[in-house]
Amino acid sequence: MTKEEVREKLLEMKEQYIFEITGEKAKKKTYSKLYFLKLNDNRYLACDILAGFIIGTIIEENYMNLEKTLEMVQGYLDEGYTLVGISDPKFSKIVE
């Protein structure tokens, strides 16, 4: 998946949806899965467990803009991670 394809998918995502990648086939696996939650067009969060978005404490330093998110996703894809998909996690509350 190219950087432009990743950018397009991140921009096309609806707010409160997640972009999920897996390290199942990665050579160097830091995480088994990574989730990127879209808060708005230029604000994203990343977490290695889906529930972390609603049970964890989110601090300002954890918010990422589109470019930082794109850089992080592309780095993992370059290591062999693969896209699982984009979906609505159906959280019980809106993550801000």
Side-chain angles (χ1 to χ4, degrees):
M1 182 172 248
T2 68
K3 192 171 185 176
E4 282 309 310
E5 289 171 326
V6 173
R7 177 189 302 278
E8 189 175 309
K9 288 196 177 296
L10 289 171
L11 286 172
E12 288 176 352
M13 285 172 60
K14 293 181 182 177
E15 291 180 10
Q16 299 294 309
Y17 273 52
I18 58 154
F19 182 100
E20 180 181 344
I21 59 176
T22 182
E24 191 175 286
K25 298 177 183 176
K27 297 171 195 124
K28 178 185 168 193
K29 183 172 24 175
T30 308
Y31 303 101
S32 58
K33 288 193 175 188
L34 275 172
Y35 304 93
F36 297 86
L37 176 66
K38 182 175 184 173
L39 301 174
N40 61 43
D41 281 340
N42 199 34
R43 199 166 197 188
Y44 298 81
L45 286 170
C47 197
D48 63 338
I49 59 170
L50 194 54
F53 292 119
I54 55 173
I55 61 173
T57 301
I58 300 171
I59 56 174
E60 189 65 32
E61 292 82 25
N62 289 344
Y63 293 109
M64 298 182 296
N65 63 23
L66 174 63
E67 291 306 314
K68 177 68 178 167
T69 305
L70 178 58
E71 180 182 314
M72 182 182 274
V73 169
Q74 195 62 51
Y76 283 104
L77 293 177
D78 290 347
E79 289 180 9
Y81 281 67
T82 56
L83 175 64
V84 172
I86 296 170
S87 62
D88 181 354
K90 300 189 182 347
F91 290 138
S92 58
K93 64 180 185 177
I94 292 177
V95 181
E96 299 182 78

